Amino acid sequence: MASSIPNEPLIPEDDSLAFSQKTKAAEFFTSLLHSWTGLLGVAIIFILLFLSIFGHWIAPYDPVKTELTAKLLPPLTDGHLLGTDHLGRDLLSRIILGARISVIIGLSTVLIAGLIGTVIGIISGFFRGWIDIVLMRLVDVQLSFPFILLVLIINAVLGAGLKNIIISLAIGGWVIFARVIRSEVLALREKDFIQAAVATGVSRFEILIKHIVPNLFTPMIILASLQISSFIIAEASVSFLGFGVQPPTPAWGNMLSEGKDFIFSAWWLITFPGLAIIITALGINLFGDWLRDTLDPKIKGK
Amino acid sequence: MAEDYLVKVQNLKKYYEVSKGMFKQKTIIRAVDDVSFSIKRGETYALVGESGCGKSTTGKTILGLTDATAGEIYFQGKDITKISYSDMRKLRKDFQMIFQDPYASLNPKKTVREILMEPLRIHKKFEGKEREKKIHEILEIVGLSKSHLHRYPHEFSGGQRQRIGIARAVILQPDFIIADEPVSALDVSVQSQVINLMLDLQKEFGLTYLFISHDLSVIEHMTDRVAVMYLGKIVEVAETEELFENPKHPYTQALISAVPVAHPREERKRIILKGDVPSPANPPKGCPFHTRCPFAMDICSEKAPEEVFFTDGHKATCHLYTNSKEEIKDVIRNS
């Protein structure tokens, strides 16, 4: 060919292909092994998932069986590792089964809110114009309203229960996704490779689907992982206030709510569910932070 | 005569409106202000000027990446400013762009194969196996190899990425390529490789280039004609050799005097311009260059100069040459 470049390839031609593809997954796990916070987060998430799936078999007692003769036992008495509550139910079993509620709520709200928010963010950022103005003012209005209050109001209208709290949390939470995704789309739109696609003659729809959306996965995953914990905490707050998951179903929030009456006589009733919430939120946040550091080359620090 | 021209730009204007607040008047930024030029088939036409003079905007407007405020752009005799987005899409196989920043111009989520496949797919060129063959061919032409097909842009160096960008631009065998500072983001050693690659491709495919750059030594090396832009206007046009030997406009003279000299003994008087480029939102009255011109006369701040023609299509927009030759000599001698 008439190329003026030396014929040898510029990258050494080793057994490169298989190698470079293997490294992608490998790099991911090595990076996880090198970060103890990320590892801790992943461990906590695994425990949480394990408990929520196999909780029924692991729990030492029936979490809803009341036994009034054994009420308010302190931890480490009569085989109750974490003690019992005012109805004599085993606290450890209830915490183990409460994990399931948290996982269900965390995952499903993030899915619903993330989907709604992402779609709206993409529409807003890609098409701009009046639709962007309308949608973003809607977001502004909702953001000016306290999140928990909004969730409570929606819950008051819909009624309590697992399904309704998922709906209300999703309605309260989509705005963050819409905001972040919109700004990502706005930044992407101006990138040279989008201009290059326009110059190639790619249709607007294809630019959106093939060039913009694939570049949104990373921010979406990062945001979702960071939002899950805030949804779990919000569920606990709502349940604590009596709107969420109804007793006797064990959920960390309503366990706190029931325990608060005994705060001076039986400290373990609010301490352990509270710790469960804190550890869960911490674990997910640690994982989310690590994920962001690994996936987002902008913050990768090089 | 008219058929010789592949691209003809007439009175092109691109203004941006910038609002400074809800109740304040909008300022108009004249990024490209009444620019006309024509590019012959097969030549390399350079747009040169310092950053912010509107040369990149001119290129993007010709490609329809931004809409022109006014003026016409003729491509193969057809005015492409009035064409709809979807009709324009079909025309795009005939003109392509090479971008400045090879790190931003390739989609990080796509492999080299996907990047090069896209133009073929969009314009329905070739089928299945033949597409693959074409991609292999073009990769080899730009100096990469088959083993790079399934790699992502981040696995390549800047020069290699620019080769991918060039491959994407030429794979449809367009007639016209706009190269927007294609080498300014690259190492000097890699620059010459990429430039030689572009020249080879031009010979092989009969390409016409609009070469946008601020680097005069690159322009001297590879272009046929040069248009010098200042504050959104073209101030001088000439064949490359003529321009470097005999620059007429004081701005061109200053630019050329600023090119580093390779030989240590060779001395050249450098013309150092005072001040900064005025804001395109508020360009000076009269000649836009008079605020920094070493030869500025009274008339320069009052009246915009007309084009003055010299030999061989050499023209400059300057009052120095509208007066009699005697006066010019005086002005130059006195300065």
Side-chain angles (χ1 to χ4, degrees):
Chain A
M1 281 294 150
S3 160
S4 57
I5 303 91
N7 271 338
E8 78 219 58
L10 298 155
I11 291 179
E13 230 173 321
D14 40 295
D15 39 324
S16 45
L17 281 184
F19 183 68
S20 85
Q21 256 150 27
K22 207 200 292 163
T23 46
K24 268 207 147 174
E27 201 183 298
F28 200 69
F29 285 108
T30 341
S31 134
L32 182 60
L33 288 178
H34 283 298
S35 147
W36 68 269
T37 49
L39 218 51
L40 183 64
V42 170
I44 291 171
I45 288 171
F46 267 116
I47 292 171
L48 199 65
L49 286 176
F50 185 75
L51 291 184
S52 64
I53 296 169
F54 302 107
H56 271 295
W57 290 283
I58 298 166
Y61 295 87
D62 182 352
V64 291
K65 190 174 161 255
T66 58
E67 199 178 332
L68 289 171
T69 50
K71 68 174 184 176
L72 294 177
L73 289 180
L76 301 172
T77 41
D78 292 350
H80 294 286
L81 205 58
L82 299 181
T84 59
D85 69 1
H86 61 293
L87 296 173
R89 298 174 294 196
D90 180 55
L91 201 59
L92 178 64
S93 308
R94 287 178 69 72
I95 286 178
I96 288 174
L97 284 172
R100 174 177 296 180
I101 299 288
S102 292
V103 168
I104 290 174
I105 289 195
L107 286 181
S108 46
T109 4
V110 142
L111 268 176
I112 299 170
L115 203 68
I116 300 172
T118 304
V119 169
I120 287 177
I122 288 174
I123 292 172
S124 209
F126 190 69
F127 296 103
R128 306 295 310 273
W130 62 268
I131 195 159
D132 180 31
I133 295 171
V134 170
L135 289 172
M136 282 306 116
R137 289 306 82 78
L138 201 69
V139 169
D140 285 343
V141 168
Q142 186 166 332
L143 279 177
S144 65
F145 217 78
F147 173 63
I148 281 293
L149 196 58
L150 185 71
V151 173
L152 285 179
I153 291 171
I154 299 168
N155 251 309
V157 175
L158 293 176
L162 187 63
K163 195 181 77 196
N164 288 341
I165 189 164
I166 290 173
I167 294 173
S168 61
L169 283 172
I171 294 175
W174 67 274
V175 283
I176 305 283
F177 288 89
R179 263 282 165 85
V180 172
I181 295 299
R182 172 181 176 268
S183 68
E184 285 288 332
V185 173
L186 283 182
L188 280 171
R189 261 168 58 110
E190 303 303 319
K191 285 270 167 69
D192 272 356
F193 68 82
I194 301 292
Q195 302 261 296
V198 175
T200 308
V202 184
S203 70
R204 279 198 190 109
F205 182 70
E206 240 182 281
I207 286 178
L208 180 61
I209 299 299
K210 295 204 164 153
H211 289 273
I212 291 188
V213 172
N215 280 292
L216 290 176
F217 286 143
T218 309
M220 256 154 62
I221 290 170
I222 293 165
L223 188 62
S225 70
L226 292 173
Q227 280 303 106
I228 284 182
S229 67
S230 74
F231 284 136
I232 288 177
I233 292 173
E235 179 271 328
S237 325
V238 174
S239 291
F240 179 79
L241 293 169
F243 281 94
V245 181
Q246 295 302 303
T249 313
W252 296 340
N254 65 29
M255 286 164 74
L256 283 180
S257 169
E258 289 166 2
K260 73 175 188 298
D261 300 335
F262 306 93
I263 191 163
F264 295 112
S265 54
W267 55 271
W268 57 93
L269 285 188
I270 58 159
T271 307
F272 294 117
L275 271 178
I277 294 171
I278 291 170
I279 291 171
T280 303
L282 183 73
I284 297 171
N285 278 339
L286 285 176
F287 174 71
D289 279 342
W290 168 78
L291 203 63
R292 188 192 54 208
D293 292 347
T294 320
L295 292 181
D296 202 333
K298 273 173 282 181
I299 324 173
K300 218 170 183 174
K302 271 170 203 166
Chain B
M1 187 71 188
E3 298 94 70
D4 283 10
Y5 292 114
L6 183 68
V7 179
K8 198 166 178 185
V9 175
Q10 258 176 354
N11 306 99
L12 184 70
K13 288 176 187 169
K14 176 69 191 176
Y15 294 170
Y16 290 101
E17 278 186 4
V18 179
S19 67
K20 290 202 159 168
M22 206 182 264
F23 302 108
K24 284 182 190 147
Q25 243 194 348
K26 283 184 176 164
T27 18
I28 292 171
I29 296 197
R30 296 155 199 265
V32 178
D33 198 6
D34 207 0
V35 160
S36 306
F37 60 92
S38 338
I39 304 171
K40 288 181 206 147
R41 192 178 282 277
E43 81 171 337
T44 303
Y45 193 89
L47 269 184
V48 67
E50 54 201 306
S51 41
C53 72
K55 52 192 195 302
S56 289
T57 312
T58 308
K60 287 202 169 137
T61 317
I62 293 174
L63 270 188
L65 296 179
T66 51
D67 292 328
T69 310
E72 291 103 51
I73 299 158
Y74 295 95
F75 180 74
Q76 293 176 329
K78 209 191 286 172
D79 184 2
I80 54 173
T81 47
K82 312 272 185 300
I83 288 180
S84 73
Y85 186 90
S86 50
D87 286 339
M88 186 76 176
R89 277 181 55 206
K90 291 175 199 126
L91 278 179
R92 289 194 182 281
K93 64 175 183 297
D94 294 326
F95 45 94
Q96 284 294 316
M97 180 148 185
I98 298 170
F99 289 84
Q100 171 175 13
D101 181 359
Y103 291 87
S105 65
L106 302 173
N107 189 337
K109 301 279 178 201
K110 286 187 182 266
T111 61
V112 173
R113 185 179 162 277
E114 287 169 319
I115 289 169
L116 294 180
M117 186 61 94
E118 185 161 59
L120 297 178
R121 191 170 46 78
I122 296 296
H123 295 286
K124 300 193 176 63
K125 276 230 182 176
F126 312 115
E127 291 295 324
K129 276 202 169 159
E130 225 167 304
R131 283 186 182 168
E132 300 286 348
K133 223 182 101 194
K134 182 81 195 165
I135 289 173
H136 294 174
E137 247 176 63
I138 211 87
L139 267 184
E140 208 166 294
I141 290 175
V142 300
L144 296 168
S145 84
K146 251 195 254 179
S147 65
H148 298 135
L149 268 181
H150 298 285
R151 295 199 179 183
Y152 288 88
H154 72 89
E155 298 175 58
F156 293 95
S157 69
Q160 287 172 325
R161 288 186 203 205
Q162 199 59 306
R163 286 166 196 273
I164 300 168
I166 291 172
R168 172 177 61 192
V170 295
I171 197 165
L172 288 169
Q173 304 202 343
D175 297 315
F176 179 50
I177 288 184
I178 295 181
D180 186 1
E181 307 244 16
V183 294
S184 61
L186 306 175
D187 277 354
V188 181
S189 58
V190 182
Q191 279 188 3
S192 61
Q193 288 179 8
V194 170
I195 285 168
N196 288 336
L197 170 64
M198 287 180 68
L199 290 173
D200 289 340
L201 289 170
Q202 183 172 37
K203 259 182 240 149
E204 206 165 318
F205 298 122
L207 297 171
T208 306
Y209 285 129
L210 173 62
F211 193 89
I212 298 168
S213 181
H214 63 264
D215 189 340
L216 282 165
S217 39
V218 171
I219 283 178
E220 190 173 11
H221 178 65
M222 77 171 286
T223 67
D224 301 314
R225 280 199 298 154
V226 185
V228 182
M229 276 187 88
Y230 184 78
L231 262 187
K233 286 183 160 62
I234 289 182
V235 295
E236 183 163 2
V237 180
E239 308 231 321
T240 308
E241 243 175 84
E242 162 79 4
L243 186 94
F244 279 88
E245 262 166 35
N246 196 8
K248 296 288 186 193
H249 197 282
Y251 179 62
T252 317
Q253 291 167 359
L255 275 187
I256 289 174
S257 81
V259 179
V261 185
H263 199 283
R265 292 260 178 78
E266 193 178 332
E267 272 188 32
R268 193 190 284 176
K269 198 182 156 204
R270 284 195 61 179
I271 306 169
I272 312 267
L273 294 178
K274 10 169 210 192
D276 284 325
V277 189
S279 159
N282 187 19
K285 241 180 88 187
C287 172
F289 188 55
H290 82 258
T291 50
R292 303 171 73 196
C293 183
F295 310 117
M297 302 175 287
D298 292 340
I299 188 172
C300 296
S301 54
E302 286 153 20
K303 207 177 131 219
E306 303 272 318
E307 280 181 345
V308 183
F309 290 85
F310 305 94
T311 47
D312 299 334
H314 189 170
K315 56 184 179 181
T317 320
C318 182
H319 280 302
L320 279 178
Y321 306 100
T322 49
N323 299 322
S324 76
K325 287 199 173 141
E326 297 298 311
E327 282 176 62
I328 305 164
K329 277 181 189 150
D330 282 349
V331 173
I332 293 175
R333 200 173 297 136
N334 293 342
S335 67

